[in-house]
Amino acid sequence: MTRFRCNGMDVQTGAAPMSRLLDVLREDLRYTGPKEGCGEGECGACTVRIDGEPVMSCLVPVCQVEGAEVQTVEGLAQPVVHAVQSAFLQHGAAQCGICTPGFLMAAAALLDENPHPTREEARVALAGNLCRCTGYQKIVDAVVRAIAKEA
Amino acid sequence: MLACTAPVIRPRTLRDALQARADRPDATVLAGGTDVMVYMEAGVLQPSAVIDLWGCHGLRGIEARGNELRIGATTTHSDLARDPRVPAVLRESALTVGAVQIQNRGTVGGNICNSSPAGDTLPVWLALDADFQLSSVRGTRRVAAADYWRGYKQTALATDELLTAIYLPEVEGEAHFRKVGTRMAQAISKVIFCGRRSHGVARLAFGAVGPVPLRVRAAEDALVAGAPVSEVVRLVREGIVPIDDVRSTRDYRARVSGNVVGRWLG
Ligand SMILES: Cc1cc2nc3c(=O)[nH]c(=O)nc-3n(C[C@H](O)[C@H](O)[C@H](O)COP(=O)(O)OP(=O)(O)OC[C@H]3O[C@@H](n4cnc5c(N)ncnc54)[C@H](O)[C@@H]3O)c2cc1C
Ligand code: FES
Ligand code: FES
C-alpha cells in the first residue's frame, strides 16, 4: 500500500509499487488531468508536481511518492483558477488541449520561483512540453504575462 | 508496459541498501527512474526485484569535505545546477540533461551508472578528475572516473556494489563545456566536450564519440607542451573513436570534436 497526498487529500493505492504514478492518478484516483502522450518522458503531457517540483508522472514509480504531496491540474484550480490558467484562456494558448495540463503544471512551478520570467526563461522551463497545435508563441505569451507586473 | 509485479526493496539506510544489494545481485537498482522506467516501458527491462535508492538517507546532497566536494549519488541534476559550490561546467552540463522535469528526478549516480556514451555529465567528471566511491558490504573503494568506464556499458562497478558518492578535488584553471546536439532540451548529444587547462595540466574529455566517454591523452600532452592549436586539434580528431549511428556519422563527429576544441583554444 502506498500512501501520499494528492491535491490536498490523503490518498492510498494498492497498485504494484513499480506502477507508473500516471496510471495510478488516472485509473485508481480518477484524476484524468495528466495525459499520456509518449509514455517515455519526451512530451510533458503527464507533468504533475511532486512536493512542488514538476516531473513526468509516466517516469515515476508510485512507490517513490510515499509520503509526498502530489498536485495535478485538478489541484491547480483549487480554491480558485490559477493565474496561469486564466492567462491561457485570455491568450488563446490552448487548442486541442491535450498538452495543456502539462504546460500549466510546468508553468505554475516556474511562476512560483520566478513570477516575472523573460520569454527565454519561459522557453527553458517549458522545453520538456510539446504542443502540436499552437506553435508555442501564445503559450509563452500567456506565461510571461500571467502575473501582472507591478506598475 | 507489462505490469511489473517485482518486489521493491526501499532501504532507509546505506547499510540496508548495501545488504539488499548483496542479497539480491539480480535486482535492478533504481534512483530517479528516468532511464529505468523508459527501459521497462520499452520492454527491454523486466526486473525480478528492485532496490529503490530514492528514499535512502545520506545518499542525496552536496557537502564540502576538506579540499573536496562530496556529491551523493542520488543528488539530482536540479540540485547540482542550483549549488554555487559546484564548478560551473558541471552545473552547465546538468542543465542540458533533458528538460526541467527530467533534471528534477534524474540523478548524477544514474547518469554515471547508466553509462550511455552520450551521458552529458560524463566528460565533465573526467575533466574535473572526479573519483567515484563504490561501496558494498565488503567495504568501500574509490575509482578514478578515468578508470571507471571499461567498454560499451561496462564499468568498474561489481554486482554487489552501489555508487555512493562522487568526490571532486579542488582543481585549478579555466574550464569549458559544450554539448552539440540537434536542440538543447531533450536532445541526445552528438558530441559532448569538457576541457580544462591550467599551468602544466590539460584535460580534453569527450562523450558520444566512442563506446565510452574518454580523454584524448596525446592531445592533452601536446597542449601542455605548448603545441600549436592546429596540432592539438589534429590529435583530437585522430584520438577519438567515433561511431556512425542514427544521430550522426563518424566523420561529422571527428570534425566537430576538433572544431569545438579549436574554438575553445583559439
Ligand atoms: C526524455 C529524456 C531525456 C533525457 N535526456 C538526457 C540528456 O539530455 N542527457 C543525458 O545525459 N541523459 C538524458 N536522459 C537520461 C537520464 O535522464 C539520465 O541518464 C539520468 O541521469 C539517469 O538518472 P536516474 O536517477 O533517473 O537513473 P535510473 O533510471 O534510476 O538508473 C539508471 C541506471 O543506473 C543504475 N543506477 C542508478 N543509480 C545507481 C547507483 N547509485 N549505484 C549503482 N547503480 C545505479 C540503475 O540500475 C540503471 O541501470 C534523458 C532521459 C529521458 C527520459
Ligand atoms: S507521457 Fe510522460 S512525458 Fe510523454
Ligand atoms: S493544444 Fe493541441 S497539442 Fe497543444
Side-chain angles (χ1 to χ4, degrees):
Chain A
M1 195 62 76
T2 305
R3 292 182 173 77
F4 58 103
R5 284 175 68 78
C6 188
N7 299 328
M9 313 243 283
D10 289 317
V11 296
Q12 60 182 46
T13 175
M18 288 300 285
S19 306
R20 305 184 304 175
L21 175 60
L22 175 64
D23 296 329
V24 170
L25 291 172
R26 290 181 57 85
E27 284 158 31
D28 285 11
L29 303 174
R30 299 282 161 188
Y31 287 115
T32 54
K35 302 285 184 267
E36 174 156 9
C38 65
E40 51 185 48
E42 300 278 354
C43 77
C46 66
T47 303
V48 302
R49 295 172 77 180
I50 299 180
D51 295 329
E53 293 189 327
V55 305
M56 306 301 192
S57 63
C58 69
L59 297 182
V60 178
V62 71
C63 62
Q64 291 191 337
V65 299
E66 173 78 46
E69 176 80 47
V70 176
Q71 189 190 41
T72 68
V73 73
E74 286 90 343
L76 195 62
Q78 293 166 358
V80 290
V81 166
H82 190 280
V84 73
Q85 291 174 301
S86 312
F88 264 57
L89 283 171
Q90 200 188 329
H91 292 274
Q95 289 183 28
C96 80
I98 277 280
C99 69
T100 311
F103 270 101
L104 290 170
M105 298 314 285
L110 167 69
L111 293 170
D112 274 358
E113 259 183 46
N114 178 2
H116 304 301
T118 63
R119 293 188 80 81
E120 183 50 29
E121 286 167 340
R123 282 183 194 284
V124 169
L126 301 174
N129 296 76
L130 300 183
C131 174
R132 296 179 305 169
C133 304
T134 65
Y136 302 99
Q137 296 300 337
K138 292 182 173 180
I139 292 177
V140 174
D141 289 345
V143 172
V144 298
R145 299 199 196 122
I147 302 196
K149 301 198 168 54
E150 275 108 70
Chain B
M1 173 164 73
L2 294 169
C4 171
T5 51
V8 178
I9 307 161
R10 308 198 71 219
R12 292 285 134 192
T13 64
L14 179 58
R15 222 187 124 114
D16 289 349
L18 296 178
Q19 192 57 53
R21 184 80 162 133
D23 294 343
R24 291 299 301 258
D26 61 306
T28 298
V29 177
L30 173 72
T34 60
D35 285 311
V36 165
M37 294 296 280
V38 172
Y39 298 147
M40 286 177 56
E41 178 68 17
V44 296
L45 173 68
Q46 285 159 22
S48 51
V50 174
I51 301 171
D52 177 16
L53 301 181
W54 188 260
C56 184
H57 295 295
L59 278 183
R60 182 170 175 180
I62 302 171
E63 111 191 53
R65 284 205 188 162
N67 295 333
E68 292 181 310
L69 206 57
R70 179 188 189 274
I71 303 172
T74 61
T75 302
T76 65
H77 293 110
S78 297
D79 296 339
L80 210 56
R82 271 193 290 261
D83 194 316
R85 295 169 301 176
V86 171
V89 280
L90 188 53
R91 280 185 278 141
E92 273 176 59
S93 73
L95 289 173
T96 70
V97 177
V100 175
Q101 292 99 321
I102 302 292
Q103 291 157 18
N104 281 339
R105 222 59 203 175
T107 65
V108 294
N111 205 232
I112 292 167
C113 295
N114 186 54
S115 294
S116 158
D120 281 329
T121 66
L122 311 189
V124 185
W125 305 116
L126 287 174
L128 297 178
D129 291 347
D131 268 351
F132 298 155
Q133 183 183 54
L134 310 182
S135 309
S136 70
V137 290
R138 296 175 288 122
T140 285
R141 61 189 178 121
R142 278 197 190 201
V143 173
D147 298 325
Y148 183 77
W149 295 284
R150 301 275 165 87
Y152 181 70
K153 296 234 168 192
Q154 286 186 326
T155 71
L157 192 76
T159 53
D160 66 344
E161 282 178 322
L162 293 172
L163 172 68
T164 41
I166 301 115
Y167 286 88
L168 284 184
E170 243 170 53
V171 293
E172 305 183 333
E174 176 210 351
H176 179 75
F177 173 79
R178 181 90 163 81
K179 167 172 176 169
V180 181
T182 41
R183 62 184 188 122
M184 277 310 278
Q186 306 278 44
I188 299 174
S189 303
K190 294 174 176 176
V191 172
I192 314 151
F193 169 66
C194 187
R196 177 169 67 86
R197 69 193 296 207
S198 64
H199 188 71
V201 180
R203 296 286 180 270
L204 299 171
F206 296 86
V209 298
V212 290
L214 54 91
R215 283 170 49 191
V216 183
R217 306 221 185 207
E220 293 177 354
D221 293 344
L223 186 57
V224 172
V229 173
S230 59
E231 176 61 6
V232 176
V233 167
R234 191 186 66 77
L235 288 166
V236 164
R237 290 199 175 121
E238 215 176 79
I240 60 170
V241 257
I243 41 171
D244 280 316
D245 68 11
V246 290
R247 282 180 288 281
S248 200
T249 64
R250 169 192 289 262
D251 284 351
Y252 173 85
R253 288 189 160 106
R255 178 172 292 273
V256 170
S257 302
N259 290 354
V260 170
V261 173
R263 223 164 282 148
W264 175 49
L265 297 174

